[in-house]
Amino acid sequence: MGQPSVPPPLTPPAPPQMGGGASGGCQVRCAGCRMILTVGAGLTEFVCPTCQLPQMLPPELVSRTHLPPVPAHGIDPTKIQLPCAHCKAILNVPHGLSRFACPQCGIDLAVDVSKLKQFFPPRLPPEEVNEVAIEVEREEDEGGMVGETFTDYRPPKLSIGPPHPDHVVETSSLSAVQPPEPTYDLKIKDDLEISKALSCLQIETLVYACQRHLHHLQSGARAGFFIGDGAGVGKGRTIAGLIWENWHHERRKALWISVGSDLKFDARRDLDDAGATCVEVHALNKLPYSKLDSKSVGVREGVVFLTYSSLIASSEKGRSRLQQLAQWCGLGYDGLVIFDECHKAKNLVPEAGGQPTRTGEAVLELQARLPEARVVYCSATGASEPRNLGYMIRLGLWGAGTCFPNFRDFLGALDKGGVGALELVAMDMKARGMYVCRTLSYKGVEFEIVEAPLEGHMTEMYKRAAEFWAELRVELLSASAFLTDEKPNSSQVWRVYWASHQRFFRHMCMAAKVPAAVRLSKQALMENKCVVIGLQSTGEARTEEAVTKYGLELDDFISGPRELLLKFVEENYPLPEKPESLPGEESVKELQRKRHSATPGVSLKGRVRKVAKWRPASDGESDEDFEPDSEHESTESDDEFQICEICNTEEERKKLLQCSYCAQLVHPSCLVPPMIEVVSEEWSCDLCKERTDEYLQARHAYVAELLKRYEAAVERKSKILEIIRALDLPNNPLDDIIDQEWTASAASDDILLADHTCNLQLGGPDKVAEMTGRRGMLVRASTGKGVTYQTRNTKDVTMEMVNMNEKQLFMDGKKFVAIISEAGSAGVSLQADRRAVNQRRRVHLTLELPWSADRAIQQFGRTHRSNQASAPEYRILFTNLGGERRFASIVAKRLETLGALTQGDRRAGPSLSAYNYDSAYGKRALTVMYRGIMEQDSLPVVPPGCSSEKPETIQEFIMKAKAALVSVGIVRDTVLGNGKDSGKLSGRIVDSDMHDVGRFLNRLLGLPPDIQNRLFELFVGILDLLVQNARTEGHFDSGIVDMKANVIELQGTPKTVHVDQMSGASTVMFTFTLDRGITWESATTLLDEKQKDGVGSATDGFYESKREWLGRRHFLLAFEGSSSGMFKIIRPAVGEAVREMTLAELKSKYRRVSSLEKARSGWENEYEVSSKQCMHGPNCKLGNFCTVGRRLQEVNVLGGLILPIWGTIEKALSKQARQSHKRLRVVRMETTTDNQRIVGLLVANAAVESVLQDLAWVQDLDP
């Protein structure tokens, strides 16, 4: 078989000539090396002997080579053909017929089953299914063990400056990526070495940022830099160093945009620390909207400090701050633009149906107006999810010169690639020198999830509140039925209802945790620590409304839930329109008299006049509708001219008749029949005569009914308000805490309360330092009776400086209680600073988790910062209410992707992933649960509190669950069944709700605790089952996984397949050799150690499979694992398994080997065989490419830059036959000889050639 003399045609090969050769095969072109191969008859799958690429015949050849044979004449292919033992005739015998008579000779025949098989055409033996091989394959597809999260960080390529004052770490994923070579020479390097103002980490950031700013993107704009260091590392001082370096290059202007005007003082401090004392800082909010460099303003150089709110502000004359800044910078501006805390610019690309935020658009526009500006993005939480990267256009991740034409394509690729794709973005940015991300070590920091179960009184209060909201919903539905179609705001009422419903129960959850918070606070105080309590909702709006309504002095603190309910009902209860006043007992003649006094429109002779058209009264109009406008009333004499309503001509008033009821004027002669006689004063037209008495009586009854309905609705609304005022509801949670904590602090010592979005009514302002955005607070009277509203600031301190003053009092140890809100605490340092007087250890209680991971990270960063005497203790409080997990779910989802993007590892943030229910699996679980409850399908798990042996308990639960979902508006269009379905509810759940986990968890809060928890447990049970199934089937996306082996060695020289022109960073193909096996000696040593330590169980030991495959059994070592009944599995070929096995599964598939000699022989045999072949045996379809259960294997990893060649890799992998080979999987490898760490995309052996061919760079770059 040689190479053809002429290039073969590109069209599919002609059908094989059957009979042209002995084999009757066909010729095809290899998909890999393009050689012409001859494929034997009957083969559909084969491996090329030249390039070893497994492939299969095209469909058109398969169909032709596998034509069914034409049966001989008289043969029935649906029956068995057997010869008669007497006359030898071939008979068509039906399947299953054992005795019959030959139709030819009549002899009785019997079928001998034992000899039957010789009359069948020879068939290939069915492929043996190796269950152990399937199990091992699934584990290999899922990935390896989760390794360490963080590694110590030191600048890998710079040694300038002193070490950082605190222990700094980097995720192990990012640490596997090397930044480019530093080439920039700092002008302030000598000054920094003398002053030691910046650490080596901060100087490294200066070098790479300045180096990056020397380049331009292909779009023409200057490249930007992203500082993603964690809270407390010292980003402020790093920014100050950048400003000082640019100052030395005569770039004397800089824009510093941050989240709060108070941070201007921190900016001034950081510049002074960096040695830039001569650089002025100008607060933009103190400056007019005129030109900044004008004589009157005089800002010609320095730092203009502004907030994101200022960036979107404009004056009354329409001049915007953005225009003002662009004018001050001027054309060709190449100075710094620093977006500090840049997560504020997120949501530039919102979810479907949303609108971009003005802040995001303003950040984008400023960058567009200043294309030469040196942009720095700076935030510990810059990208909590991929779409929030949309404003970072200067990173060059999409657009001209990339494989993503626009941000939408970039976002789509990341979403499609899953978590692994997200994790590559951070590593890619670091490799290209545009990103740094270090964080303070969490060593010494304690995280704990504290469950605060509802106490008895609170449980009853919550249950009654849930019942009331359900009753209120029914009441609103009933009241809405009486409204006319003129009320189009029904949907708005329900939007407000569900928003209020959610806020109400969130307040209730917070209030339920107050006793636990107080208990933990007292415990911390006794240990001489400070207590930090983080909140988001404070109830300031409710407090201000109550103060406006009731006055400055109140009997007690405000109940936020009650005020919220009152406000909702007062403003949104649907009342019918109040009817106009009735004529009362007035007679018809009196009404006619009133009508007679009305004067129609006047027209003076010779002028053009508007004619007042008569119209009949409608049911919805009042009597006053017929009153003419005053401007048309006549002021002329009786000789004035009026218009006849019939002929529309003018006539003297005295010659016209006027209807005493409708007031129209007509000629007597125009009437039909004409009126000749003189009429009395009380004349009425024919139409009004018919309507007068009968119409007024009917209208009187109708309006009376409307008034009755209106008064009944008002009375019903008043009763509902009375019920709300009588409900037993908690005070604002913070009021309770402050009041109780103040008592505790007065009795023992001082406490610290820190909150993250709080408007609190404090019991002890002399003991508490408050840093919030509110103007006033409620304070308990000195007598202990009643509370008073007072402003926060004093005569000596302005409102603008009150937060800074409070912070200083706290840090100086004059106050040991601090309450902070997001508005007042962004960037604020409240750690146990070594320079501060107050160095007590902070105990940070998160009473209410923030809505987003951004805020959670910022909140945690207030008490965990550089130069601290002790690390904080974090206590995250949750109630035992299932619905409250909604808030944890949102944050957990953001933390998961936040860690993936900004730190290269989803495990980098605090461990809240157990609460991430709003995922793809969560949506599927919800759909399964809803279908089960609506009896469209069976539930895959037994509901809590039910038994599979008692179906009636499951049916009872389904009825209760359905009623609960009806009460919170998830099940709609409900109908109560009758007849055989009597008592059964039927309804529907709209498609959009079927997978809306957020809505489910929100509405769940409004159910009584018992059914709420049962529904939530059912949901979590189904979710766990789906995740477990996904793991078993190898479909679970676990992000970065560690590939573990006893020996990992780099094989040969890595191949460079791509080079980035701007940074010089490259994409490299690494090939590793792995030995995953466990020798018999190592296995016995492991078992002996377990038995010596006394932690082993009676079931520990060696096992063999009950079944044989390929003539041999599989062996394993099992010993009890992390929990009782679960066993760690160690196999001779692949080492320790990822998944632990239950005792029941172990005993069903394996049996204990009592003879050590037998175990040894089997173990060593499997260890040896697995070095040469996979578990499928020598006839495996994938041949040498199969790695399932192979002890010695070759692994290919594509490391370095991935994003620039993303599309090429994705296309190459999509060609693979096995589903697991198509997946983009990010793995981490560490060689056992020199501990070299590589992170990159795992490329299956079968896909390597395809990937390299599609890249097409390897031949040019690899020497």
Side-chain angles (χ1 to χ4, degrees), residues 569-754:
V569 173
E570 286 171 351
E571 295 182 357
N572 297 283
Y573 187 87
L575 291 174
E577 188 175 349
K578 185 177 181 180
E580 300 293 340
S581 57
L582 291 169
E585 299 301 323
E586 295 177 349
S587 64
V588 173
K589 288 188 176 182
E590 178 63 19
L591 182 62
Q592 290 174 341
R593 189 193 64 75
K594 285 186 177 182
R595 294 303 183 195
H596 183 68
S597 64
T599 308
V602 177
S603 172
L604 300 179
K605 192 172 185 178
R607 297 183 184 177
V608 179
R609 293 162 297 279
K610 287 185 177 181
V611 181
K613 298 293 183 182
W614 175 83
R615 54 178 179 170
S618 67
D619 289 347
E621 292 174 336
S622 64
D623 295 337
E624 283 80 351
D625 289 337
F626 296 99
E627 293 288 338
D629 296 333
S630 59
E631 62 186 26
H632 296 301
E633 289 182 4
S634 173
T635 56
E636 301 294 331
S637 66
D638 290 339
D639 294 332
E640 67 186 8
F641 284 80
Q642 299 288 351
I643 296 173
C644 172
E645 295 286 349
I646 298 175
C647 66
N648 204 27
T649 58
E650 293 181 340
E651 188 61 77
E652 292 182 38
R653 167 69 181 271
K654 60 186 178 181
K655 294 182 180 180
L656 296 174
L657 287 175
Q658 183 179 29
C659 175
S660 59
Y661 190 66
C662 66
Q664 70 169 334
L665 295 168
V666 295
H667 286 111
S669 59
C670 290
L671 296 172
V672 180
M675 291 191 66
I676 301 174
E677 299 178 359
V678 178
V679 296
S680 65
E681 192 180 70
E682 302 297 335
W683 176 80
S684 298
C685 64
D686 291 341
L687 184 61
C688 292
K689 282 179 182 177
E690 295 174 3
R691 298 179 54 160
T692 303
D693 292 328
E694 183 181 346
Y695 170 75
L696 284 178
Q697 290 175 6
R699 177 167 175 78
H700 186 284
Y702 174 72
V703 174
E705 179 62 25
L706 288 182
L707 186 61
K708 182 180 177 182
R709 286 186 182 180
Y710 173 78
E711 290 173 347
V714 170
E715 183 181 359
R716 185 66 185 158
K717 176 181 177 180
S718 300
K719 287 183 177 178
I720 292 173
L721 292 173
E722 289 176 12
I723 292 171
I724 294 172
R725 293 186 184 99
L727 278 177
D728 185 12
L729 293 173
N731 291 336
N732 279 343
L734 196 51
D735 296 343
D736 271 355
I737 292 173
I738 296 299
D739 204 30
Q740 295 184 51
E741 296 286 7
W742 179 51
T743 306
S745 63
S748 58
D749 203 337
D750 309 288
I751 74 166
L752 161 74
L753 281 179

Side-chain angles (χ1 to χ4, degrees), residues 1173-1224:
Q1173 66 181 39
C1174 66
M1175 278 188 166
H1176 303 120
N1179 297 322
C1180 177
K1181 294 178 181 179
L1182 291 180
N1184 291 332
F1185 291 118
C1186 185
T1187 61
V1188 175
R1190 187 189 287 266
R1191 178 167 64 84
L1192 299 179
Q1193 60 173 270
E1194 192 178 271
V1195 173
N1196 297 279
V1197 176
L1198 204 57
L1201 285 190
I1202 301 296
L1203 285 182
I1205 55 175
W1206 182 276
T1208 306
I1209 299 169
E1210 196 172 33
K1211 181 181 176 182
L1213 294 180
S1214 67
K1215 301 174 185 177
Q1216 300 310 303
R1218 280 181 60 179
Q1219 192 64 34
S1220 60
H1221 291 174
K1222 294 181 180 182
R1223 270 183 27 215
L1224 288 164

Side-chain angles (χ1 to χ4, degrees), residues 245-384:
E245 171 68 16
N246 278 272
W247 185 275
H248 282 73
H249 286 271
E250 301 304 319
R251 292 187 281 269
R252 300 295 178 90
K253 291 181 178 180
L255 300 180
W256 191 335
I257 307 166
S258 193
V259 291
S261 54
D262 289 348
L263 296 179
K264 177 225 175 187
F265 302 103
D266 291 337
R268 176 72 270 167
R269 179 202 64 205
D270 290 331
L271 284 166
D272 291 344
D273 291 344
T277 54
C278 61
V279 180
E280 292 188 52
V281 180
H282 310 279
L284 188 62
N285 64 335
K286 298 296 182 183
L287 301 175
Y289 279 84
S290 56
K291 291 183 178 180
L292 294 176
D293 51 6
S294 63
K295 288 184 179 179
S296 59
V297 182
V299 179
R300 290 182 171 81
E301 63 180 28
V303 177
V304 172
F305 190 91
L306 66 148
T307 64
Y308 289 98
S309 299
S310 296
L311 189 62
I312 59 176
S314 59
S315 66
E316 294 179 357
K317 296 181 180 180
R319 182 171 173 79
S320 70
R321 288 294 192 190
L322 199 150
Q323 292 173 336
Q324 183 186 29
L325 293 171
Q327 181 276 326
W328 181 69
C329 292
L331 295 174
Y333 173 75
D334 62 351
L336 284 170
V337 176
I338 297 147
F339 295 107
D340 194 9
E341 308 292 352
C342 61
H343 50 271
K344 281 292 179 182
K346 66 181 182 179
N347 292 336
L348 176 67
V349 183
E351 298 279 358
Q355 294 295 322
T357 58
R358 289 177 59 201
T359 303
E361 290 178 329
V363 167
L364 204 63
E365 184 180 350
L366 184 63
Q367 294 177 86
R369 290 195 180 198
L370 306 173
E372 285 293 323
R374 288 169 157 78
V375 175
V376 177
Y377 309 105
C378 183
S379 172
T381 56
S384 55

